[in-house]
Amino acid sequence: MDTNQNGKKLIYDILIYTGLFLTVLFVCMQFQLNPLSEKYAETDSSVFIMIGRGMTEGKIPYLDFFDHKGPLLYLINFIGYSLFEIKGVWLMELISAFVSIVFIYKSARLMFDKFPSFIASVFAIVTMQLAFDYGNYVEEYALPFISIALYYFTKYYFGETKQLKSYEVMITGMCFGSTLLLRPNMFGLFAGFCLVIFITCIKNKEWKPLLRYILF
């Protein structure tokens, strides 16, 4: 590939990722915590913010406050509130949505060209906004971990090697753990794909890769 083609590819990639960022910016501006909003957070979101704010004051979740969500949700609110208070929590939403759409795009790219993958990613994140309600909800923060795992699961079937490297398996496991620390009932993607990969390895007698997946 010559320099001119490399330049065109780079410009195209910049346009793609700029479009992805503008999409998540549009989605996140619909949430109640956006910088231009004068509305207060809704019930669940306000609880999460209260716990995050309490942590900045040295208080302890589940001891000084109680809610039944996982600790990672409160840690995210704590980090956001520590940065820019309410607007910092919204920044965490923006980062979460951008990571999600990037890995949705990367998953699609394993099967399709750039433009169809871009359209699919935009459609996915815009429609998922309906599940995010007013923002700062647990589903929103679980999505990047699920999207990263989905990318590696997709890579297992549509990548060049049809196998995962050890660090990729570890990242997937960390995403599973992070999802459990948000809300355990969102484990379906991990359970389904792990079972299918387990069966595939046994069917193809891929004993070494199977052992490596289990260990890592």
Side-chain angles (χ1 to χ4, degrees), residues 23 32 42 58 64 75 84-85 89 92 107 117 134 163 169 179:
T23 299
Q32 288 189 333
E42 291 295 318
D64 298 309
L75 179 61
F84 307 109
E85 297 187 347
V89 177
M92 299 301 288
S107 296
S117 299
Y134 298 105
Q163 287 191 7
V169 179
T179 302

Side-chain angles (χ1 to χ4, degrees), residues 22 25 82 91 99 190-191 213:
L22 291 176
L25 181 61
S82 298
L91 179 61
V99 172
F190 300 93
Y213 295 156

Side-chain angles (χ1 to χ4, degrees), residues 70-103:
L72 184 54
L73 178 62
Y74 310 134
L75 179 61
I76 292 170
N77 276 262
F78 163 72
I79 293 171
Y81 199 88
S82 298
L83 294 173
F84 307 109
E85 297 187 347
I86 297 295
K87 303 315 175 190
V89 177
W90 179 82
L91 179 61
M92 299 301 288
E93 293 186 89
L94 182 65
I95 294 171
S96 175
F98 185 63
V99 172
S100 300
I101 199 172
V102 165
F103 276 91

Side-chain angles (χ1 to χ4, degrees), residues 42-192:
E42 291 295 318
T43 305
D44 285 356
S45 176
S46 64
V47 171
F48 307 150
I49 293 171
M50 181 190 69
I51 295 175
R53 183 183 65 189
M55 291 171 68
T56 67
E57 300 169 354
K59 296 180 180 179
I60 303 173
Y62 310 109
L63 180 62
D64 298 309
F65 307 97
F66 182 77
D67 187 64
H68 63 283
K69 299 297 192 298
L72 184 54
L73 178 62
Y74 310 134
L75 179 61
I76 292 170
N77 276 262
F78 163 72
I79 293 171
Y81 199 88
S82 298
L83 294 173
F84 307 109
E85 297 187 347
I86 297 295
K87 303 315 175 190
V89 177
W90 179 82
L91 179 61
M92 299 301 288
E93 293 186 89
L94 182 65
I95 294 171
S96 175
F98 185 63
V99 172
S100 300
I101 199 172
V102 165
F103 276 91
I104 291 171
Y105 172 74
K106 287 170 66 70
S107 296
R109 280 289 291 125
L110 292 170
M111 298 173 282
F112 307 108
D113 292 333
K114 290 182 178 180
F115 186 69
S117 299
F118 172 78
I119 296 299
S121 304
V122 169
F123 180 79
I125 208 73
V126 169
T127 53
M128 284 180 191
Q129 176 193 345
L130 300 174
F132 299 158
D133 207 354
Y134 298 105
N136 195 35
Y137 274 36
V138 64
E139 293 84 1
E140 184 183 349
Y141 296 121
L143 186 59
F145 298 112
I146 292 173
S147 299
I148 292 169
L150 178 62
Y151 167 69
Y152 287 120
F153 286 136
T154 306
K155 188 177 180 181
Y156 176 84
Y157 286 101
F158 294 96
E160 294 180 1
T161 62
K162 299 296 189 294
Q163 287 191 7
L164 295 178
K165 297 177 181 178
S166 297
Y167 78 88
E168 294 173 330
V169 179
M170 289 182 68
I171 291 173
T172 305
M174 292 169 67
C175 288
F176 176 51
S178 298
T179 302
L180 292 181
L181 288 174
L182 284 163
R183 196 167 71 187
N185 65 353
M186 294 191 291
F187 70 94
L189 176 103
F190 300 93

